[in-house]
Amino acid sequence: YYDRSGIGRDSFDQAVQFGADGINLSEEMLERGVSLEKEVMLGTYYFGVNMLDPVIGDTGTPLEREKKRKLRQALAIAYDQAEMISVFANGRGEVGMGPIPPGIFGYQSGKEGINESVFEWVDGKPQRKSLEQAKKLLAEAGYPNGRHARTGKPLVLNLDTTSGGSTAIQSWMMRQFKKLGIQLNMRATDYNRFKDKMETGNAQLFQWGWLADYPDAENFLFLLYGANGQVKSGGSGVNSSNYNNAEYNRLFDKMQLMDDSPERAAIIRRMLTIVERDMPWLSTWHPHSYILNNEWVRNTKAHGISKAVLKYYAIDVDTRHTAQQRWNQPVLWPLALVVLIVMAISIPGVLAWRRRQHQRINSRAN
């Protein structure tokens, strides 16, 4: 009876199937004339670092800051975002190379768009750098095998989350850090407490996301603009990582009001290169939207910004009515079966009761 529907996690395998050419509708859906509407949402989910944190952030002397940068890069290589999407999002997403999602001016695909701190271009596609390279960076950061080079103490990092998270994904994330011998501690709180930690700079690692308000690169690049830092702005900013790079800030000021042009694209590319090196976000991914449309639905088009599109849809009412009548005929045989079972149980009882009644009558007559 639905015209359009999303696909729930539990029913995902009933609606679509994975094949050599990607994700497609199941045979049952195809037989019913259902079509699949796929799009990359104009959004970015990210695994952020509080750059004010003394252990992993951009703090201390130039040498200390460089070591912490290598620590962040090592973690970014070890964290397998593609596996997370496959296991926990039913494959509905793609690994990001930066803040800007596909479909927004400034996004670059192919070899030119890869995050060279984390990926290499191999056989025409990006490939995550090896775990050996991550371990080398970790040792250069002062934590060989995940332990402090001088004290020998294990490195423990904290992921601040809201309460009620999935135990399975938390265990998976711990394993990602364990690849480098690093212990990940989950610090779960309620949302209000989590927000307070973010606004005061008391979080260390966190996960967050942003969906576009308007289709422009500025709407994503401002997530890393220094003046928008949550601590600096008193909690009102969108820069949850509190990232503050002078060159990035200067380029953002120049870029934000420019018309789309080759010059603006070059500035954005430079900004992304700065972010890729500094690594305020360990990983990003862009979610995919999957919508099922019945055959009587017309005039739909994926729209990543506005939600007020219902008025444009067209419905072939006659086709819908015919299909609903065909697919929803009452199934009567279970009712008939119940009646037969009741009769099968009841008739012997009725016959036995009648026999007892006859016996009583005969006994009285005698």
Side-chain angles (χ1 to χ4, degrees), residues 96-98 113-120 129 276-277 279:
M97 297 295 166
I114 68 168
N115 182 339
E116 295 184 350
S117 293
V118 181
F119 296 92
E120 298 171 322
K129 291 183 177 181
E276 290 166 7
R277 182 183 184 279
M279 203 65 67

Side-chain angles (χ1 to χ4, degrees), residues 8 37-38 42 62 70-71 93 222 228 234 300 307 326 349:
E37 185 179 294
K38 297 186 287 187
L42 295 183
K70 290 184 177 182
L71 170 59
F222 78 159
N228 289 337
T300 67
K307 304 301 181 185
R326 184 172 71 252

Side-chain angles (χ1 to χ4, degrees), residues 225-226 243-253 274 278:
Y225 181 51
Y243 179 61
N244 191 17
N245 179 287
E247 184 182 3
Y248 182 95
N249 296 340
R250 178 180 58 80
L251 292 171
F252 179 86
D253 288 332
I274 295 170
D278 289 348

Side-chain angles (χ1 to χ4, degrees), residues 158-167 169-170 173 185-198 203-209:
N158 301 301
L159 175 62
D160 291 279
T161 68
T162 56
S163 56
S166 166
T167 302
I169 194 170
Q170 290 181 1
M173 294 182 71
N185 180 37
M186 312 300 291
R187 298 196 302 198
T189 59
D190 60 45
Y191 186 72
N192 288 335
R193 175 60 182 145
F194 174 75
K195 283 282 290 180
D196 180 67
K197 291 167 73 173
M198 295 295 294
Q204 190 171 55
L205 300 172
F206 61 93
Q207 292 183 301
W208 219 314

Side-chain angles (χ1 to χ4, degrees), residues 124-156:
K125 60 183 179 180
Q127 177 176 295
R128 189 173 295 274
K129 291 183 177 181
S130 68
L131 195 59
E132 287 68 30
Q133 290 172 285
K135 290 179 177 179
K136 180 176 182 295
L137 285 167
L138 188 65
E140 293 173 359
Y143 297 97
N145 299 315
R147 292 181 174 271
H148 195 284
R150 181 172 53 82
T151 66
K153 292 183 178 180
L155 176 60
V156 180

Side-chain angles (χ1 to χ4, degrees), residues 341-353:
I341 292 173
V342 170
M343 291 177 62
I345 295 173
S346 301
I347 289 175
V350 171
L351 294 176
W353 177 80

